[in-house]
Amino acid sequence: METAPIIKLRTNRGLLKFFFLSLITFGIYGIICLGNVSRDINTIATKHDGKTTMSFYLVALIFSWLSLGIVPLIWFHNLSSRIERELLVRNLPYQFGTGIFWGWNILGSLLFGIGPFVYIHKLMHAMNALAADYNIKG
């Protein structure tokens, strides 16, 4: 039987907090929040899939401008795929994955710019669900 972890992961991520704190900190909060997402998905999923997600700090501060924005697209695609697999492994009833990323974040940006907000909301909700499950089961 799996035991609960000693350190509990945050389960209070949300779109409004992400949006407004990113706005008043000129994007710094968003980078920190997504850096925490990359750390937390590594904590949650590595024992199941043996993979590691690159820190978002490296993606945002170094590889984004070096690759002309291609590395963040790959990073979000891989993150969404990893979250999708972990939701399935943990039998959590939430739909999230690469289709959500490409549909809402990329194509949805053409819908008056609201698509990326829907994607971030879904990302935060998925991570909250995974973190809550991890806090209970490890």
Side-chain angles (χ1 to χ4, degrees):
M1 179 172 174
E2 296 181 24
T3 59
I6 296 172
I7 298 173
K8 302 289 184 182
L9 300 179
R10 292 182 47 216
T11 59
N12 63 345
R13 296 174 178 93
L15 174 64
L16 291 177
K17 184 162 108 174
F18 181 88
F19 176 75
F20 287 114
L21 289 177
S22 292
L23 190 66
I24 63 173
T25 62
F26 303 105
I28 294 171
Y29 179 79
I31 292 171
I32 291 170
C33 185
L34 290 171
N36 290 339
V37 165
S38 62
R39 182 198 64 218
D40 288 354
I41 195 63
N42 285 334
T43 301
I44 294 167
T46 298
K47 72 178 181 178
H48 295 132
D49 62 12
K51 297 180 180 179
T52 302
T53 297
M54 181 189 304
S55 172
F56 188 73
Y57 302 121
L58 291 173
V59 172
L61 301 175
I62 297 173
F63 294 115
S64 178
W65 63 273
L66 281 176
S67 69
L68 303 176
I70 293 173
V71 168
L73 291 175
I74 295 168
W75 186 87
F76 276 110
H77 173 87
N78 291 339
L79 174 72
S80 299
S81 176
R82 195 163 185 217
I83 291 171
E84 180 179 30
R85 282 191 307 272
E86 192 62 23
L87 287 168
L88 290 172
V89 165
R90 292 177 178 270
N91 292 319
L92 297 175
Y94 188 70
Q95 297 296 317
F96 186 82
T98 57
I100 299 292
F101 168 67
W102 290 105
W104 281 112
N105 200 41
I106 303 304
L107 295 177
S109 63
L110 302 174
L111 298 172
F112 308 106
I114 63 167
F117 295 108
V118 174
Y119 172 74
I120 290 294
H121 167 72
K122 290 181 169 294
L123 171 66
M124 297 303 165
H125 189 278
M127 284 304 299
N128 286 341
L130 286 173
D133 189 69
Y134 175 81
N135 289 343
I136 294 168
K137 299 176 187 174

Short mmCIF file of all heavy atoms in Angstrom, two decimals, residues 11-60:
data_model
loop_
_atom_site.label_atom_id
_atom_site.label_comp_id
_atom_site.label_asym_id
_atom_site.label_seq_id
_atom_site.Cartn_x
_atom_site.Cartn_y
_atom_site.Cartn_z
N THR A 11 -2.46 22.71 -3.85
CA THR A 11 -3.68 22.36 -4.58
C THR A 11 -4.57 23.58 -4.79
O THR A 11 -5.76 23.44 -5.04
CB THR A 11 -4.49 21.28 -3.83
OG1 THR A 11 -4.81 21.77 -2.53
CG2 THR A 11 -3.72 19.98 -3.72
N ASN A 12 -4.00 24.76 -4.70
CA ASN A 12 -4.80 25.98 -4.80
C ASN A 12 -4.45 26.82 -6.02
O ASN A 12 -4.58 28.04 -5.99
CB ASN A 12 -4.66 26.81 -3.52
CG ASN A 12 -3.24 27.29 -3.30
OD1 ASN A 12 -2.29 26.82 -3.91
ND2 ASN A 12 -3.09 28.24 -2.39
N ARG A 13 -4.01 26.19 -7.08
CA ARG A 13 -3.71 26.94 -8.30
C ARG A 13 -5.02 27.35 -8.96
O ARG A 13 -5.98 26.60 -8.95
CB ARG A 13 -2.92 26.07 -9.28
CG ARG A 13 -1.58 25.65 -8.79
CD ARG A 13 -0.95 24.68 -9.81
NE ARG A 13 0.37 24.28 -9.41
CZ ARG A 13 0.64 23.20 -8.70
NH1 ARG A 13 -0.32 22.40 -8.32
NH2 ARG A 13 1.88 22.90 -8.37
N GLY A 14 -5.02 28.53 -9.58
CA GLY A 14 -6.22 28.97 -10.27
C GLY A 14 -5.93 30.03 -11.31
O GLY A 14 -4.90 30.71 -11.27
N LEU A 15 -6.84 30.16 -12.25
CA LEU A 15 -6.67 31.09 -13.36
C LEU A 15 -6.64 32.53 -12.91
O LEU A 15 -5.78 33.30 -13.34
CB LEU A 15 -7.77 30.88 -14.40
CG LEU A 15 -7.77 31.89 -15.55
CD1 LEU A 15 -6.50 31.77 -16.38
CD2 LEU A 15 -9.01 31.73 -16.40
N LEU A 16 -7.57 32.94 -12.05
CA LEU A 16 -7.64 34.35 -11.65
C LEU A 16 -6.38 34.79 -10.92
O LEU A 16 -5.82 35.85 -11.21
CB LEU A 16 -8.87 34.62 -10.79
CG LEU A 16 -10.20 34.53 -11.53
CD1 LEU A 16 -11.36 34.72 -10.57
CD2 LEU A 16 -10.26 35.54 -12.66
N LYS A 17 -5.92 33.95 -10.01
CA LYS A 17 -4.69 34.27 -9.29
C LYS A 17 -3.51 34.32 -10.26
O LYS A 17 -2.70 35.25 -10.22
CB LYS A 17 -4.45 33.21 -8.21
CG LYS A 17 -3.26 33.48 -7.33
CD LYS A 17 -3.37 32.65 -6.06
CE LYS A 17 -2.42 31.53 -6.04
NZ LYS A 17 -2.40 30.78 -4.78
N PHE A 18 -3.44 33.36 -11.17
CA PHE A 18 -2.37 33.32 -12.17
C PHE A 18 -2.39 34.59 -13.03
O PHE A 18 -1.37 35.23 -13.24
CB PHE A 18 -2.54 32.07 -13.05
CG PHE A 18 -1.48 31.92 -14.10
CD1 PHE A 18 -0.30 31.24 -13.81
CD2 PHE A 18 -1.65 32.41 -15.38
CE1 PHE A 18 0.68 31.08 -14.77
CE2 PHE A 18 -0.68 32.26 -16.35
CZ PHE A 18 0.49 31.59 -16.04
N PHE A 19 -3.56 34.95 -13.50
CA PHE A 19 -3.69 36.10 -14.40
C PHE A 19 -3.34 37.41 -13.69
O PHE A 19 -2.50 38.18 -14.16
CB PHE A 19 -5.11 36.18 -14.97
CG PHE A 19 -5.33 37.40 -15.82
CD1 PHE A 19 -4.80 37.48 -17.10
CD2 PHE A 19 -6.05 38.47 -15.33
CE1 PHE A 19 -4.99 38.61 -17.88
CE2 PHE A 19 -6.26 39.60 -16.11
CZ PHE A 19 -5.72 39.67 -17.38
N PHE A 20 -3.98 37.67 -12.56
CA PHE A 20 -3.79 38.96 -11.91
C PHE A 20 -2.40 39.12 -11.30
O PHE A 20 -1.80 40.20 -11.40
CB PHE A 20 -4.88 39.23 -10.87
CG PHE A 20 -6.20 39.55 -11.50
CD1 PHE A 20 -7.27 38.71 -11.37
CD2 PHE A 20 -6.35 40.69 -12.28
CE1 PHE A 20 -8.49 39.00 -11.97
CE2 PHE A 20 -7.56 41.00 -12.89
CZ PHE A 20 -8.63 40.14 -12.74
N LEU A 21 -1.88 38.08 -10.69
CA LEU A 21 -0.53 38.18 -10.13
C LEU A 21 0.53 38.27 -11.23
O LEU A 21 1.53 38.97 -11.07
CB LEU A 21 -0.24 37.03 -9.17
CG LEU A 21 -0.99 37.09 -7.84
CD1 LEU A 21 -0.70 35.87 -6.99
CD2 LEU A 21 -0.65 38.36 -7.08
N SER A 22 0.30 37.59 -12.35
CA SER A 22 1.21 37.74 -13.49
C SER A 22 1.15 39.15 -14.04
O SER A 22 2.18 39.72 -14.42
CB SER A 22 0.85 36.74 -14.60
OG SER A 22 1.11 35.44 -14.18
N LEU A 23 -0.03 39.72 -14.07
CA LEU A 23 -0.21 41.07 -14.59
C LEU A 23 0.53 42.10 -13.74
O LEU A 23 1.28 42.93 -14.27
CB LEU A 23 -1.71 41.40 -14.65
CG LEU A 23 -2.10 42.67 -15.38
CD1 LEU A 23 -1.79 42.56 -16.86
CD2 LEU A 23 -3.58 42.93 -15.18
N ILE A 24 0.36 42.01 -12.42
CA ILE A 24 0.98 43.03 -11.57
C ILE A 24 2.47 42.80 -11.34
O ILE A 24 3.18 43.72 -10.93
CB ILE A 24 0.25 43.19 -10.21
CG1 ILE A 24 0.32 41.92 -9.39
CG2 ILE A 24 -1.17 43.64 -10.42
CD1 ILE A 24 -0.24 42.08 -7.98
N THR A 25 2.96 41.59 -11.63
CA THR A 25 4.40 41.32 -11.49
C THR A 25 5.09 41.27 -12.85
O THR A 25 6.23 40.79 -12.94
CB THR A 25 4.65 40.00 -10.74
OG1 THR A 25 4.09 38.92 -11.51
CG2 THR A 25 4.09 40.02 -9.34
N PHE A 26 4.41 41.75 -13.87
CA PHE A 26 4.97 41.79 -15.23
C PHE A 26 5.43 40.42 -15.72
O PHE A 26 6.47 40.29 -16.35
CB PHE A 26 6.12 42.81 -15.32
CG PHE A 26 5.70 44.18 -14.91
CD1 PHE A 26 6.07 44.69 -13.68
CD2 PHE A 26 4.92 44.96 -15.75
CE1 PHE A 26 5.67 45.97 -13.29
CE2 PHE A 26 4.52 46.23 -15.37
CZ PHE A 26 4.89 46.74 -14.14
N GLY A 27 4.65 39.39 -15.41
CA GLY A 27 4.91 38.04 -15.89
C GLY A 27 5.77 37.17 -15.00
O GLY A 27 5.88 35.97 -15.26
N ILE A 28 6.36 37.74 -13.98
CA ILE A 28 7.25 36.96 -13.11
C ILE A 28 6.48 35.87 -12.37
O ILE A 28 6.95 34.73 -12.27
CB ILE A 28 8.01 37.88 -12.14
CG1 ILE A 28 8.96 38.77 -12.93
CG2 ILE A 28 8.76 37.06 -11.10
CD1 ILE A 28 9.60 39.86 -12.11
N TYR A 29 5.29 36.19 -11.88
CA TYR A 29 4.50 35.17 -11.16
C TYR A 29 4.16 34.00 -12.08
O TYR A 29 4.20 32.85 -11.67
CB TYR A 29 3.22 35.76 -10.58
CG TYR A 29 2.40 34.71 -9.86
CD1 TYR A 29 2.73 34.31 -8.59
CD2 TYR A 29 1.31 34.10 -10.49
CE1 TYR A 29 2.01 33.32 -7.94
CE2 TYR A 29 0.58 33.12 -9.85
CZ TYR A 29 0.93 32.74 -8.58
OH TYR A 29 0.22 31.75 -7.94
N GLY A 30 3.82 34.29 -13.34
CA GLY A 30 3.50 33.22 -14.28
C GLY A 30 4.66 32.28 -14.50
O GLY A 30 4.49 31.05 -14.57
N ILE A 31 5.85 32.83 -14.60
CA ILE A 31 7.05 31.99 -14.77
C ILE A 31 7.28 31.14 -13.53
O ILE A 31 7.57 29.95 -13.63
CB ILE A 31 8.28 32.87 -15.08
CG1 ILE A 31 8.13 33.51 -16.46
CG2 ILE A 31 9.57 32.06 -15.00
CD1 ILE A 31 9.16 34.56 -16.78
N ILE A 32 7.12 31.74 -12.35
CA ILE A 32 7.30 30.99 -11.10
C ILE A 32 6.25 29.90 -10.97
O ILE A 32 6.56 28.76 -10.60
CB ILE A 32 7.28 31.95 -9.89
CG1 ILE A 32 8.54 32.82 -9.90
CG2 ILE A 32 7.16 31.17 -8.58
CD1 ILE A 32 8.52 33.94 -8.90
N CYS A 33 5.01 30.24 -11.29
CA CYS A 33 3.92 29.27 -11.19
C CYS A 33 4.16 28.08 -12.12
O CYS A 33 4.01 26.92 -11.71
CB CYS A 33 2.59 29.94 -11.50
SG CYS A 33 1.17 28.87 -11.26
N LEU A 34 4.53 28.34 -13.36
CA LEU A 34 4.80 27.24 -14.30
C LEU A 34 6.08 26.50 -13.94
O LEU A 34 6.19 25.30 -14.20
CB LEU A 34 4.84 27.77 -15.73
CG LEU A 34 3.47 28.22 -16.25
CD1 LEU A 34 3.60 28.94 -17.58
CD2 LEU A 34 2.51 27.06 -16.35
N GLY A 35 7.04 27.18 -13.31
CA GLY A 35 8.21 26.49 -12.77
C GLY A 35 7.81 25.51 -11.69
O GLY A 35 8.33 24.39 -11.62
N ASN A 36 6.85 25.91 -10.85
CA ASN A 36 6.34 25.02 -9.81
C ASN A 36 5.57 23.85 -10.41
O ASN A 36 5.63 22.73 -9.89
CB ASN A 36 5.47 25.78 -8.82
CG ASN A 36 6.27 26.74 -7.96
OD1 ASN A 36 7.48 26.58 -7.80
ND2 ASN A 36 5.61 27.74 -7.42
N VAL A 37 4.84 24.10 -11.50
CA VAL A 37 4.12 23.03 -12.19
C VAL A 37 5.12 21.99 -12.69
O VAL A 37 4.91 20.78 -12.53
CB VAL A 37 3.26 23.58 -13.34
CG1 VAL A 37 2.80 22.48 -14.28
CG2 VAL A 37 2.05 24.34 -12.79
N SER A 38 6.21 22.43 -13.31
CA SER A 38 7.21 21.47 -13.82
C SER A 38 7.85 20.69 -12.68
O SER A 38 8.07 19.48 -12.80
CB SER A 38 8.26 22.17 -14.68
OG SER A 38 9.00 23.12 -13.97
N ARG A 39 8.12 21.34 -11.57
CA ARG A 39 8.68 20.63 -10.41
C ARG A 39 7.68 19.63 -9.86
O ARG A 39 8.02 18.48 -9.56
CB ARG A 39 9.06 21.65 -9.32
CG ARG A 39 9.70 20.99 -8.10
CD ARG A 39 9.67 21.89 -6.88
NE ARG A 39 8.27 22.12 -6.51
CZ ARG A 39 7.80 23.28 -6.06
NH1 ARG A 39 8.59 24.31 -5.93
NH2 ARG A 39 6.53 23.41 -5.76
N ASP A 40 6.42 20.05 -9.74
CA ASP A 40 5.40 19.17 -9.16
C ASP A 40 5.08 17.97 -10.05
O ASP A 40 4.88 16.87 -9.54
CB ASP A 40 4.13 19.95 -8.85
CG ASP A 40 4.28 20.88 -7.66
OD1 ASP A 40 5.35 20.85 -7.00
OD2 ASP A 40 3.35 21.67 -7.39
N ILE A 41 5.02 18.16 -11.37
CA ILE A 41 4.75 17.00 -12.23
C ILE A 41 5.90 16.02 -12.17
O ILE A 41 5.69 14.81 -12.24
CB ILE A 41 4.39 17.42 -13.68
CG1 ILE A 41 3.76 16.24 -14.44
CG2 ILE A 41 5.61 17.93 -14.42
CD1 ILE A 41 2.47 15.75 -13.91
N ASN A 42 7.12 16.51 -11.98
CA ASN A 42 8.25 15.59 -11.80
C ASN A 42 8.10 14.81 -10.50
O ASN A 42 8.37 13.61 -10.45
CB ASN A 42 9.58 16.34 -11.83
CG ASN A 42 9.97 16.76 -13.22
OD1 ASN A 42 9.57 16.15 -14.20
ND2 ASN A 42 10.74 17.83 -13.32
N THR A 43 7.67 15.48 -9.44
CA THR A 43 7.46 14.81 -8.16
C THR A 43 6.37 13.76 -8.26
O THR A 43 6.50 12.65 -7.75
CB THR A 43 7.09 15.85 -7.08
OG1 THR A 43 8.14 16.81 -6.98
CG2 THR A 43 6.84 15.19 -5.74
N ILE A 44 5.29 14.09 -8.96
CA ILE A 44 4.12 13.21 -9.03
C ILE A 44 4.34 12.04 -10.00
O ILE A 44 4.03 10.90 -9.68
CB ILE A 44 2.88 14.02 -9.48
CG1 ILE A 44 2.50 15.05 -8.41
CG2 ILE A 44 1.70 13.11 -9.78
CD1 ILE A 44 1.51 16.10 -8.88
N ALA A 45 4.88 12.31 -11.18
CA ALA A 45 4.85 11.33 -12.25
C ALA A 45 6.13 10.54 -12.48
O ALA A 45 6.08 9.49 -13.12
CB ALA A 45 4.46 12.02 -13.56
N THR A 46 7.26 11.00 -12.02
CA THR A 46 8.52 10.35 -12.36
C THR A 46 8.57 8.90 -11.91
O THR A 46 9.12 8.06 -12.61
CB THR A 46 9.72 11.14 -11.79
OG1 THR A 46 9.72 12.44 -12.39
CG2 THR A 46 11.04 10.46 -12.09
N LYS A 47 7.97 8.57 -10.78
CA LYS A 47 8.00 7.18 -10.32
C LYS A 47 7.18 6.27 -11.23
O LYS A 47 7.44 5.07 -11.27
CB LYS A 47 7.55 7.06 -8.88
CG LYS A 47 6.08 7.26 -8.63
CD LYS A 47 5.75 7.06 -7.16
CE LYS A 47 4.26 7.25 -6.94
NZ LYS A 47 3.90 7.01 -5.55
N HIS A 48 6.22 6.82 -11.98
CA HIS A 48 5.41 6.01 -12.89
C HIS A 48 6.00 5.93 -14.29
O HIS A 48 5.91 4.90 -14.94
CB HIS A 48 3.98 6.56 -12.99
CG HIS A 48 3.24 6.47 -11.71
ND1 HIS A 48 2.52 7.52 -11.19
CD2 HIS A 48 3.09 5.46 -10.83
CE1 HIS A 48 1.99 7.15 -10.05
NE2 HIS A 48 2.31 5.90 -9.81
N ASP A 49 6.57 7.03 -14.78
CA ASP A 49 7.01 7.03 -16.18
C ASP A 49 8.53 7.15 -16.34
O ASP A 49 9.05 7.01 -17.44
CB ASP A 49 6.31 8.12 -16.98
CG ASP A 49 6.59 9.53 -16.50
OD1 ASP A 49 7.51 9.74 -15.68
OD2 ASP A 49 5.88 10.44 -16.94
N GLY A 50 9.24 7.44 -15.27
CA GLY A 50 10.69 7.54 -15.34
C GLY A 50 11.22 8.73 -16.13
O GLY A 50 12.40 8.78 -16.45
N LYS A 51 10.37 9.68 -16.43
CA LYS A 51 10.77 10.85 -17.22
C LYS A 51 10.93 12.07 -16.32
O LYS A 51 10.49 12.08 -15.18
CB LYS A 51 9.73 11.14 -18.30
CG LYS A 51 9.59 10.04 -19.30
CD LYS A 51 8.56 10.37 -20.34
CE LYS A 51 8.44 9.24 -21.34
NZ LYS A 51 7.44 9.53 -22.35
N THR A 52 11.54 13.10 -16.88
CA THR A 52 11.70 14.36 -16.19
C THR A 52 11.32 15.49 -17.13
O THR A 52 11.78 15.53 -18.26
CB THR A 52 13.16 14.56 -15.73
OG1 THR A 52 13.51 13.47 -14.88
CG2 THR A 52 13.32 15.86 -14.96
N THR A 53 10.48 16.38 -16.66
CA THR A 53 10.11 17.57 -17.43
C THR A 53 11.11 18.67 -17.13
O THR A 53 11.42 18.94 -15.96
CB THR A 53 8.69 18.03 -17.05
OG1 THR A 53 7.77 16.99 -17.40
CG2 THR A 53 8.29 19.31 -17.75
N MET A 54 11.63 19.30 -18.18
CA MET A 54 12.59 20.39 -18.02
C MET A 54 11.95 21.53 -17.22
O MET A 54 10.77 21.84 -17.39
CB MET A 54 13.02 20.92 -19.39
CG MET A 54 14.04 22.05 -19.31
SD MET A 54 14.37 22.86 -20.90
CE MET A 54 14.87 21.51 -21.90
N SER A 55 12.72 22.15 -16.38
CA SER A 55 12.23 23.28 -15.59
C SER A 55 11.75 24.41 -16.52
O SER A 55 12.42 24.75 -17.49
CB SER A 55 13.33 23.81 -14.68
OG SER A 55 12.91 25.01 -14.06
N PHE A 56 10.61 24.97 -16.20
CA PHE A 56 10.07 26.05 -17.02
C PHE A 56 10.96 27.29 -16.94
O PHE A 56 10.97 28.11 -17.85
CB PHE A 56 8.64 26.41 -16.63
CG PHE A 56 8.02 27.39 -17.57
CD1 PHE A 56 7.62 26.99 -18.84
CD2 PHE A 56 7.84 28.71 -17.21
CE1 PHE A 56 7.07 27.89 -19.72
CE2 PHE A 56 7.28 29.62 -18.09
CZ PHE A 56 6.89 29.21 -19.35
N TYR A 57 11.73 27.42 -15.89
CA TYR A 57 12.65 28.56 -15.77
C TYR A 57 13.64 28.56 -16.94
O TYR A 57 13.90 29.58 -17.54
CB TYR A 57 13.41 28.54 -14.45
CG TYR A 57 12.51 28.56 -13.24
CD1 TYR A 57 12.57 27.54 -12.30
CD2 TYR A 57 11.60 29.59 -13.03
CE1 TYR A 57 11.75 27.55 -11.19
CE2 TYR A 57 10.78 29.61 -11.92
CZ TYR A 57 10.85 28.59 -11.01
OH TYR A 57 10.04 28.60 -9.92
N LEU A 58 14.19 27.38 -17.25
CA LEU A 58 15.11 27.27 -18.39
C LEU A 58 14.39 27.56 -19.71
O LEU A 58 14.93 28.24 -20.58
CB LEU A 58 15.73 25.88 -18.44
CG LEU A 58 16.70 25.52 -17.34
CD1 LEU A 58 17.09 24.05 -17.43
CD2 LEU A 58 17.93 26.40 -17.41
N VAL A 59 13.18 27.03 -19.83
CA VAL A 59 12.41 27.23 -21.06
C VAL A 59 12.14 28.71 -21.28
O VAL A 59 12.38 29.26 -22.36
CB VAL A 59 11.08 26.44 -21.00
CG1 VAL A 59 10.19 26.80 -22.18
CG2 VAL A 59 11.36 24.95 -20.98
N ALA A 60 11.65 29.38 -20.25
CA ALA A 60 11.24 30.78 -20.38
C ALA A 60 12.41 31.73 -20.51
O ALA A 60 12.37 32.67 -21.30
CB ALA A 60 10.37 31.18 -19.18
#
